[in-house]
Amino acid sequence: DSISSRVLWVLLAAWLLILGALFPLSISEGESYQVSTADISSPRVVMDQLAVASTGKGTRSQRAVYSKLPEDFQRALKERQKNGRRISQGRLASALNKALEAPDLYNKQDWPTAERREDLKDLIAQENKSPQELQRFNRRLIDLTFPNSINSSVGQATWITYAGMRFTEPFPITARQIRPFGEAILIPTVLWIGLGIVAMMVSIVITSSMIPDMFQTGSLHLLLSKPLSRNLLYLSKYLGGCIFVSLNIGFLVLGLYLDCGIQLQIWNSGILWCIPLFIFYFMIFYSVSALAGLVWKHPIICIVVAALFWVICF
């Protein structure tokens, strides 16, 4: 009955759609010299120095960077210099990234020591820079301008992408550094909330009517007309509910395991161990629900009793 159930196939189709929607989610690496909020270790110092530069004071390099910032941000800096107006760190990072695109940011008088640096010597001599080379050059100049307030860029960044499209600012770490965090914290948290709480509650609700439905008018007489004892009939209904949930959870967890492995390169067999662990826990809670269905013959009471037992277990 569990395998031929229409609800089973509807749920499997729903899991397939969810897994298909999650599959394009991935992590990509690339060369990037953009300024992220994590790169700015002392945002207040940077904004104060730029605000001073808006009055024509400060170092020459600070005034040069200020001149390449967007006009609306320049106005915000002037207001900050007058009345201490607060500016968000994210807005500061966006404004500095606009300065990275300026082809004429560098001036020998503004950065007199730049020509003596090995990492800048070739870029200064190069006339036609590619957009990536220009971004790298300007980022290095900004790093020199705010040496103790902005961390130097390593040129490697990681993005969260969906179907190849980047929708987050670059993280200044590599995918290899992100994966241990994903395995140790992110994936266990998602599995604990998604499977341990949400899926468990949904499973209890969906299977809560299996036992009470036996006592509907005509249903029990039809079942008892077969050569089955009442105990075996009750046990078969209980096992049918467990098989129903096992097929759904097995399909979902296996899909998540393949998704994490293919897209995130996280082949963690611990994800697969969630299948027998979930089934074991569900059999305990479902036994309480099935017993309540036998006594009170109502699915709502089955859900309430199972939920109360769940709370007591916590």
Side-chain angles (χ1 to χ4, degrees):
D1 290 345
S2 298
I3 297 177
S4 61
S5 172
R6 183 180 301 175
V7 178
L8 171 65
W9 294 105
V10 170
L11 283 175
L12 290 178
W15 297 137
L16 186 61
L17 290 174
I18 292 174
L19 291 171
L22 290 175
F23 187 76
L25 190 66
S26 181
I27 296 175
S28 65
E29 290 182 291
E31 184 179 5
S32 175
Y33 296 91
Q34 284 193 326
V35 181
S36 68
T37 54
D39 290 336
I40 309 174
S41 57
S42 303
R44 180 176 296 179
V45 173
V46 176
M47 285 186 277
D48 286 343
Q49 290 175 343
L50 289 173
V52 171
S54 69
T55 63
K57 300 178 182 179
T59 65
R60 293 178 62 94
S61 59
Q62 290 170 0
R63 296 199 297 270
V65 172
Y66 168 81
S67 66
K68 302 304 177 184
L69 298 175
E71 292 183 2
D72 61 331
F73 193 76
Q74 290 180 352
R75 289 194 295 268
L77 288 172
K78 291 178 181 178
E79 292 180 11
R80 178 184 177 84
Q81 182 66 8
K82 293 179 181 178
N83 51 34
R85 179 184 175 184
R86 184 178 177 276
I87 302 175
S88 68
Q89 188 171 343
R91 190 178 177 187
L92 171 62
S94 299
L96 291 174
N97 286 327
K98 288 294 183 180
L100 293 181
E101 303 171 2
D104 55 346
L105 175 63
Y106 174 72
N107 187 291
K108 185 176 181 179
Q109 286 72 33
D110 298 334
W111 284 275
T113 64
E115 289 184 327
R116 298 196 296 269
R117 297 180 178 272
E118 292 295 329
D119 56 340
L120 291 177
K121 190 181 300 183
D122 293 338
L123 288 171
I124 293 173
Q126 189 174 343
E127 294 185 0
N128 297 320
K129 301 179 182 66
S130 66
Q132 196 71 30
E133 291 171 336
L134 178 63
Q135 187 184 79
R136 175 188 170 194
F137 181 45
N138 288 344
R139 175 58 193 271
R140 192 69 186 99
L141 295 176
I142 289 178
D143 292 343
L144 291 174
T145 304
F146 308 101
N148 299 318
S149 303
I150 297 180
N151 301 324
S152 298
S153 173
V154 297
Q156 290 290 328
T158 304
W159 293 266
I160 296 177
T161 61
Y162 189 84
M165 297 182 293
R166 299 170 180 174
F167 59 93
T168 62
E169 67 173 15
F171 301 106
I173 54 178
T174 63
R176 181 176 295 180
Q177 294 171 311
I178 289 179
R179 289 188 187 107
F181 168 78
E183 285 192 84
I185 299 177
L186 184 60
I187 291 178
T189 302
V190 171
L191 290 175
W192 179 68
I193 296 175
L195 290 180
I197 297 178
V198 177
M200 182 64 71
M201 199 64 218
V202 170
S203 299
I204 292 173
V205 171
I206 290 177
T207 56
S208 63
S209 62
M210 287 187 173
I211 300 298
D213 282 350
M214 290 194 309
F215 300 98
Q216 296 295 325
T217 304
S219 298
L220 187 61
H221 297 293
L222 179 62
L223 293 172
L224 291 178
S225 64
K226 300 178 182 180
L228 295 173
S229 65
R230 292 175 181 266
N231 292 337
L232 185 59
L233 179 61
Y234 177 79
L235 184 61
S236 65
K237 282 289 185 179
Y238 172 78
L239 291 177
C242 294
I243 293 172
F244 176 88
V245 171
S246 299
L247 291 172
N248 275 279
I249 294 301
F251 181 82
L252 175 62
V253 174
L254 181 60
L256 289 174
Y257 172 75
L258 295 175
D259 194 357
C260 290
I262 295 172
Q263 292 294 78
L264 305 179
Q265 298 302 309
I266 298 177
W267 297 98
N268 192 328
S269 59
I271 297 175
L272 296 178
W273 280 105
C274 290
I275 299 175
L277 184 62
F278 181 93
I279 295 171
F280 173 74
Y281 273 101
F282 172 75
M283 291 178 71
I284 294 174
F285 292 122
Y286 187 46
S287 64
V288 176
S289 174
L291 180 62
L294 182 65
V295 175
W296 287 286
K297 305 176 180 59
H298 199 288
I300 299 298
I301 298 179
C302 295
I303 296 172
V304 173
V305 172
L308 289 175
F309 178 71
W310 195 356
V311 172
I312 292 173
C313 289
F314 266 102

